Amino acid sequence: MRTTPARLWLLAVASVVVVAGLFVSAGSTLGQARDGVEVLGEDAGPQAMATTELYLALADMDAHMADVLLMGTGHGLGSGREVAEEQYEASRTRANEALLQAASLTEGDSIEERNVQAVLDGLGEYERTVGEALLLNDEAEAPSGEVDETALRRYREGSRLMHTDLMPKAFNLGLGSSAIVRANHEEGQDEVALGLLRVGGTGVLTIGVLVGFQLYLRRRFRRRLNAPLLTATAVTAALTVGVVLTLDAAGGDQSRAKEEGLDAAMALSRAGAVATDMQADQSRYLLDPELADNHQQVYLERAQAVLFRPAGNLEEYYGQVAEVADTYPDLPGEGEQPGEDGEDTDPGTLGYLGEDARDSLLPAERGALGEVLSAYDTLQEEDRRMRELSEGGDRSGAIGARMDIAHHEDGAFTDYTEALDRLIDLHGRQFEAGIESGERALSVWTWLLPTATLLVLVLLAAGVRPRLAEYR
């Protein structure tokens, strides 16, 4: 290596090696980033949303069955028995579809596969049980609100199966799906972070070798600059910076898609599912007077999961919900200072529709949550009216109020679910926008990276070849 040609060849080979190393590290990391975006956008993300749909469909099935039993011979109450039965069948179909998607998500996980199969088997048992209850009630020609005793016992068995077995398993499947999404996302982000370091380090090394080559040529051949080699160095620097910035931007897009899109949409879907189960609690409160107090307490517990405010009973809760709707976008309890015992005097506004739901939205989008809170407040006002009629002895009026709440066209619950669906769609669009932005940023490198690498190698050859030719 004492001769100039030998040194030129050594520097040229070293330059090619580091450029190739930059190409490999950049290509590998960009590929990992693309895989992460694809898994979130086309695989784990949508399938996780499907498991949340399962919980909602199961809750919807039980709510419609409770409504049909409550109607008794009053087939024209509310939207009518025919509509309620159609909605029950539609919910059953959605539950079966969601189970199929959940099965594909849990393939290979023996525990979760058994849970899916258990829900499928239990769903068949539930349908047989409540089907018998409905048949017995029809045979007894029970009037509205006076369910046949034997039919009521069978319905209790079915509802108990739904709430102590099927819905908890469905909820856990949703949590498991969320955990899979989170684990895949974190693993992918960690891999890309390490890849960023490799790309940055390899890029700096490549630039250093090219600059060293430039300095050697300047000193040895007494020329101020080697234009092709200088251009190759500039392209390498631009390539390194471009890849690093793209990976950083794509990681941000993916995180926003998950946190502000998918996670928020799944939380709101659970809010819809729990609120649907609250509707069944209203019907059970009326059709099962013996357990009315229990159903009322369960209703309050579920309501506080949707929107939590400190309240010891439903009357207090109604007032707290009205305050939330009136003060939004400010929420009661925010910034509350700790009391003398060191604990906050007010825990704040929590639950699926609380502070996290608001903070996941841009300021310009927060009106959508305001509409949901307003509809939820109206839902609670209607619940209060129904219970006041029942407690006042107007059972027929209470049943009518319940059917009005559940009316599929203009009922308070329909207004709530429509407002909630609009908010979920907003987060769904945020999810899609984040995925599309990440895919768009990464896709350009499928051709730009090899093209830029080839250009650097051509420029390198153009800069070295004339110098080698001087020694022929």
Side-chain angles (χ1 to χ4, degrees):
M1 294 298 173
R2 294 179 180 179
T3 65
T4 297
R7 290 174 183 151
L8 285 173
W9 275 110
L10 177 62
L11 287 170
V13 170
S15 298
V16 170
V17 169
V18 291
V19 169
L22 177 59
F23 172 77
V24 171
S25 63
S28 173
T29 307
L30 288 166
Q32 289 172 338
R34 276 192 293 270
D35 290 343
V37 172
E38 182 178 348
V39 167
L40 180 62
E42 301 178 14
D43 186 11
Q47 288 177 335
M49 198 68 191
T51 60
T52 305
E53 176 67 19
L54 173 61
Y55 185 84
L56 172 60
L58 293 176
D60 210 30
M61 286 177 64
D62 201 47
H64 289 308
M65 181 53 64
D67 284 344
V68 171
L69 287 170
L70 183 62
M71 287 180 190
T73 55
H75 292 186
L77 286 171
S79 301
R81 172 166 171 164
E82 184 177 348
V83 171
E85 289 179 335
E86 289 174 355
Q87 291 176 327
Y88 173 86
E89 288 299 322
S91 298
R92 185 169 68 86
T93 300
R94 293 204 320 272
N96 287 328
E97 291 173 350
L99 275 169
L100 289 175
Q101 290 193 341
S104 67
L105 177 66
T106 58
E107 187 174 354
D109 186 331
S110 58
I111 295 176
E112 294 300 333
E113 283 181 337
R114 286 198 296 271
N115 282 339
V116 171
Q117 186 61 49
V119 173
L120 187 61
D121 295 340
L123 187 58
E125 178 62 26
Y126 169 82
E127 291 184 64
R128 286 191 294 274
T129 304
V130 297
E132 289 176 16
L134 184 58
L135 180 61
L136 289 167
N137 203 51
D138 288 344
E139 290 176 347
E141 297 184 351
S144 302
E146 298 180 17
V147 183
D148 175 74
E149 186 175 339
T150 305
L152 181 58
R153 283 199 298 270
R154 290 299 284 160
Y155 172 71
R156 283 175 179 168
E157 291 173 12
S159 186
R160 188 179 305 114
L161 173 65
M162 179 66 81
H163 289 88
T164 62
D165 188 33
L166 303 185
M167 290 179 68
K169 282 188 172 69
F171 188 78
N172 288 336
L173 281 171
L175 293 179
S177 299
S178 297
I180 290 172
V181 170
R182 183 172 59 253
N184 287 341
H185 175 70
E186 291 176 353
E187 182 180 350
Q189 293 291 81
D190 289 344
E191 289 176 351
V192 171
L194 290 174
L196 270 170
L197 294 176
R198 288 195 300 270
V199 171
T202 308
V204 170
L205 176 62
T206 304
I207 293 169
V209 170
L210 293 175
V211 169
F213 202 173
Q214 177 79 248
L215 293 175
Y216 173 78
L217 292 176
R218 179 181 178 182
R219 186 181 70 251
R220 180 66 184 82
F221 294 92
R222 305 186 187 283
R223 289 179 174 85
R224 186 167 295 178
L225 291 173
N226 184 303
L229 198 56
L230 180 64
T231 305
T233 305
V235 172
T236 300
L239 176 65
T240 302
V241 172
V243 170
V244 168
L245 291 178
T246 298
L247 289 170
D248 183 63
D253 289 333
Q254 186 177 349
S255 294
R256 282 189 294 274
K258 175 186 175 295
E259 294 164 8
E260 299 175 11
L262 180 65
D263 289 351
M266 290 183 68
L268 292 170
S269 294
R270 291 182 185 121
V274 175
T276 298
D277 211 18
M278 289 162 58
Q279 300 306 294
D281 288 326
Q282 287 182 334
S283 293
R284 286 190 285 266
Y285 168 80
L286 295 172
L287 66 83
D288 194 355
E290 184 179 334
L291 298 177
D293 289 343
N294 178 66
H295 293 309
Q296 179 167 298
Q297 181 59 35
V298 171
Y299 177 93
L300 175 59
E301 292 171 0
R302 292 196 172 107
Q304 288 187 312
V306 174
L307 181 66
F308 178 84
R309 290 293 296 143
N313 54 58
L314 269 176
E315 193 59 38
E316 291 179 10
Y317 185 71
Y318 297 142
Q320 293 279 21
V321 171
E323 182 184 4
V324 171
D326 290 341
T327 61
Y328 184 82
D330 296 324
L331 294 175
E334 278 191 297
E336 193 79 24
Q337 296 300 314
E340 294 180 1
D341 58 358
E343 296 184 359
D344 289 348
T345 56
D346 188 329
T349 304
L350 309 175
Y352 293 122
L353 302 182
E355 295 170 11
D356 288 346
R358 182 201 59 186
D359 294 342
S360 67
L361 295 165
L362 295 173
E365 300 169 337
R366 290 180 178 176
L369 179 57
E371 294 176 5
V372 175
L373 291 172
S374 178
Y376 186 71
D377 179 37
T378 301
L379 193 61
Q380 299 313 312
E381 290 175 0
E382 292 299 307
D383 181 77
R384 171 192 270 159
R385 185 171 73 88
M386 180 200 76
R387 295 181 197 277
E388 286 176 348
L389 288 169
S390 178
E391 291 167 4
D394 188 358
R395 188 167 179 76
S396 177
I399 293 172
R402 165 62 200 143
M403 293 297 107
D404 288 343
I405 293 171
H407 198 286
H408 78 287
E409 291 181 348
D410 56 5
F413 183 66
T414 299
D415 292 342
Y416 166 76
T417 55
E418 288 178 350
L420 189 63
D421 286 344
R422 288 193 293 272
L423 183 55
I424 292 172
D425 287 343
L426 179 61
H427 285 292
R429 289 194 295 273
Q430 290 175 333
F431 173 70
E432 292 171 359
I435 295 298
E436 289 174 1
S437 179
E439 289 177 338
R440 188 165 54 249
L442 292 166
S443 64
V444 68
W445 289 99
T446 56
W447 63 267
L448 184 56
L449 179 61
T451 301
T453 304
L454 182 60
L455 176 60
V456 170
L457 294 175
V458 169
L459 289 168
L460 184 61
V464 175
R465 190 166 179 271
R467 305 289 77 80
L468 287 172
E470 294 177 14
Y471 289 90
R472 288 178 182 174

